[in-house]
Amino acid sequence: MAIDEVVVIENSSVLHDEILVHRLGLIPLKTDLDSYNLPEECPCKSEFGCNLCRVALALDMEAGENTTTVYSQSLRSENPNITPVSEKIPIAKLAPNQKIRLEAYARLGKGKNHAKWQPVSACAYKYLPQIRINEKKCDACGKCIEVCPKKVFAKTEKRVEIQNILECTLCKDCVDACPQNPPAIEVSREENSFILNVESTGTLPVERIILEALNILDKKYEDFLNQLR
Ligand SMILES: [Zn+2]
């Protein structure tokens, strides 16, 4: 959910209305996917929306005698579950006697249409590493432990052990550092296995994001099959 429409009633700050509104749009809002409809799927079919496809937020701030920063906590939402994920996102600075009064409408949307609807701030995947240490050849000299930038290996008594394989970036420095010929370490990747890292903006829990993404993929495949038929 993100702010999609703003009625600026008064804005005497130095920011143009457009910039102010753009900043409001990019504030991540805690989202309730189960209680709201996408505007295009809502039975109201209204361009203004209804209680099932829109949340109103109001902002009314005036600086007194001192310069004041307006933070996201000043946005008052009609639904206490739909609020900014952080209270400390600066929106604008007001010089003495400057004023901002506006009403904003948040709606559900998709990142495909605007980045403000992206629930994810960072997403990356890598191969699942596979490391084999040949116990017969390895003399536990520890060269691989020293050279590994991710501290994948650890020494226990007379052996080298793998302690956090998920950190491995497959750089193979350990293989090059091994004095044995051929090396006692083998680094490869597992077929069909990946490590997916997802970071949420706070709008939705990561588990929910993944499940919703899978639902959307599922629907696309179903549509595709129907079209084929
Ligand atoms: Zn509606």
Side-chain angles (χ1 to χ4, degrees), residues 32-140:
D32 180 354
L33 277 183
D34 302 310
S35 312
Y36 289 93
N37 298 323
L38 276 167
E40 59 268 28
E41 288 169 8
C42 189
C44 72
K45 299 274 172 242
S46 152
E47 81 175 275
F48 303 108
C50 65
N51 284 339
L52 292 175
C53 61
R54 178 203 78 172
V55 179
L57 299 105
L59 182 68
D60 189 354
M61 282 289 285
E62 183 176 0
E65 284 172 19
N66 299 312
T67 303
T68 313
T69 305
V70 182
Y71 289 101
S72 49
Q73 64 185 355
S74 304
L75 276 168
R76 280 178 288 108
S77 172
E78 64 176 355
N79 180 345
N81 297 326
I82 311 293
T83 52
V85 299
S86 163
E87 295 187 332
K88 283 283 164 207
I89 302 172
I91 297 170
K93 263 189 179 178
L94 297 180
N97 300 321
Q98 289 183 347
K99 220 189 227 182
I100 294 179
R101 262 180 77 209
L102 53 83
E103 204 166 292
Y105 300 99
R107 295 188 175 93
L108 284 178
K110 291 178 181 167
K112 177 166 94 173
N113 298 324
H114 194 294
K116 67 186 173 184
W117 281 304
Q118 263 176 208
V120 167
S121 47
C123 180
Y125 76 88
K126 67 176 183 181
Y127 297 115
L128 181 64
Q130 208 172 31
I131 305 175
R132 281 199 205 90
I133 300 176
N134 188 334
E135 301 281 344
K136 284 179 197 147
K137 275 199 242 163
C138 177
D139 58 2

Side-chain angles (χ1 to χ4, degrees), residues 9 11 15 26 28 39 56 66 75 97 100 126 157 168 186-187 195 221 225 227:
I9 300 158
N11 172 21
L15 293 182
L26 293 177
N66 299 312
L75 276 168
N97 300 321
I100 294 179
K126 67 176 183 181
E157 294 182 25
C168 176
E186 220 177 276
V187 177
I195 304 167
Y221 286 130
L225 285 175
Q227 304 259 3

